[in-house]
Amino acid sequence: MTPTPTLIFDFDGTVALGAGPVRAYALAAVAGIPAEQRTDFLTRVLDEHSDAEALDGYDRVARAARLLGVTEQELSAAYLHSRSVLGGAEAPILAPRGLREFLEQARAHAEIVLVTNAPAAGIDRVLRVLGLAPLFDRVITQAGKPAGFPAILDDLRAAPLPERFAADATRGPVLSIGDIWENDLAPIRERGHHTALVGTRIPAGATPDLAAERLETLYPELLAWARGQVVPAP
């Protein structure tokens, strides 16, 4: 029997796209500063090239807001606000083109898992809005990536496979897909599994098995991997 693989997806920037959530976070973070400063701040933090050291849009907002005197408590409150409005008019998102169809095909061959550092609040609702809720076998929130990823991987490897697979099916390789090498992929690579990096940020030292600016570009390779036809070499 061919071992059953596991596909792990990140959420923000991988499954959920768009600048809406980062914009909502930014506006909430600097609600207390003068309006003219807010306009300039928003323009800068929504430019993904404005801070090469930031891991993503959320990190870019936090780094810039701290320079304006925004406290960690205020940043935390702003982040929670952005999650509470996620997927609505204040923080619109969309899924990568064709993701639902890809997941429907991949589920025949692989376990599908979502792992995110975001809190649980709103995730299930947003997945329903995107039409993806029934397609993930597990949704793991507040993952604490990267430090928490090894324990999560151990738990996944010890857990039973979904019921759609044969009772005697064994676990196979893992492939993690995300937009932040340090958080989503490096811990998986260190355990000898496979990785796919999406987006334009490829830090020095990153060695993903697959990489593309858009997730949909990788569907053929990911589906082939899930079927056991193509296995990237870690």
Side-chain angles (χ1 to χ4, degrees), residues 1-22:
M1 179 176 293
T2 302
T4 302
T6 297
L7 283 169
I8 298 177
F9 286 82
D10 171 51
F11 183 66
D12 289 286
T14 304
V15 168
L17 304 180
V22 172

Side-chain angles (χ1 to χ4, degrees), residues 11-12 15-25 58 79-95 121-131:
F11 183 66
D12 289 286
V15 168
L17 304 180
V22 172
R23 181 185 177 87
Y25 176 45
Y58 290 98
Y79 177 72
L80 291 177
H81 170 75
S82 74
R83 305 314 292 188
S84 72
V85 298
L86 187 67
E90 192 175 340
I93 59 171
L94 69 161
I123 293 290
D124 289 343
R125 173 181 54 79
V126 170
L127 289 177
R128 288 195 298 272
V129 169
L130 294 176

Side-chain angles (χ1 to χ4, degrees), residues 5-11 14-15 111-116 145-146 149-150 152-153 156 173-198 207-211 215 218 222 225 232:
T6 297
L7 283 169
I8 298 177
F9 286 82
D10 171 51
F11 183 66
T14 304
V15 168
E111 178 185 39
I112 311 295
V113 179
L114 185 71
V115 178
T116 175
K145 298 184 287 184
F149 225 154
I152 288 171
L153 185 58
L156 285 173
V174 173
L175 194 155
S176 184
I177 305 156
D179 65 317
I180 302 179
W181 169 259
E182 298 90 336
N183 288 356
D184 306 324
L185 308 181
I188 298 297
R189 180 60 179 268
E190 290 171 3
R191 298 290 289 270
H193 293 291
H194 305 120
T195 59
L197 180 62
V198 295
T207 54
D209 299 292
L210 299 169
L215 177 60
L218 296 177
L222 293 174
W225 179 88

Side-chain angles (χ1 to χ4, degrees), residues 40-203:
D40 177 67
F41 174 85
L42 191 62
T43 299
R44 285 188 291 111
V45 298
L46 292 181
D47 177 2
E48 64 180 28
H49 302 295
S50 64
D51 184 352
E53 295 183 4
L55 294 177
D56 60 5
Y58 290 98
D59 189 35
R60 194 162 56 246
V61 169
R63 285 163 57 89
R66 291 186 188 106
L67 296 177
L68 295 176
V70 178
T71 67
E72 295 304 316
Q73 184 177 4
E74 290 169 329
L75 285 174
S76 179
Y79 177 72
L80 291 177
H81 170 75
S82 74
R83 305 314 292 188
S84 72
V85 298
L86 187 67
E90 192 175 340
I93 59 171
L94 69 161
R97 185 179 58 186
L99 180 57
R100 179 182 176 86
E101 292 75 16
F102 166 77
L103 293 177
E104 288 172 340
Q105 295 179 68
R107 280 172 55 83
H109 312 281
E111 178 185 39
I112 311 295
V113 179
L114 185 71
V115 178
T116 175
N117 282 350
I123 293 290
D124 289 343
R125 173 181 54 79
V126 170
L127 289 177
R128 288 195 298 272
V129 169
L130 294 176
L132 304 175
L135 301 177
F136 288 99
D137 296 302
R138 300 174 188 269
V139 176
I140 299 171
T141 58
Q142 295 179 297
K145 298 184 287 184
F149 225 154
I152 288 171
L153 185 58
D154 288 341
D155 289 344
L156 285 173
R157 304 296 287 170
L161 284 162
E163 293 182 356
R164 66 179 178 277
F165 298 107
D168 59 346
T170 59
R171 286 193 170 274
V174 173
L175 194 155
S176 184
I177 305 156
D179 65 317
I180 302 179
W181 169 259
E182 298 90 336
N183 288 356
D184 306 324
L185 308 181
I188 298 297
R189 180 60 179 268
E190 290 171 3
R191 298 290 289 270
H193 293 291
H194 305 120
T195 59
L197 180 62
V198 295
T200 58
R201 181 181 178 273
I202 303 179

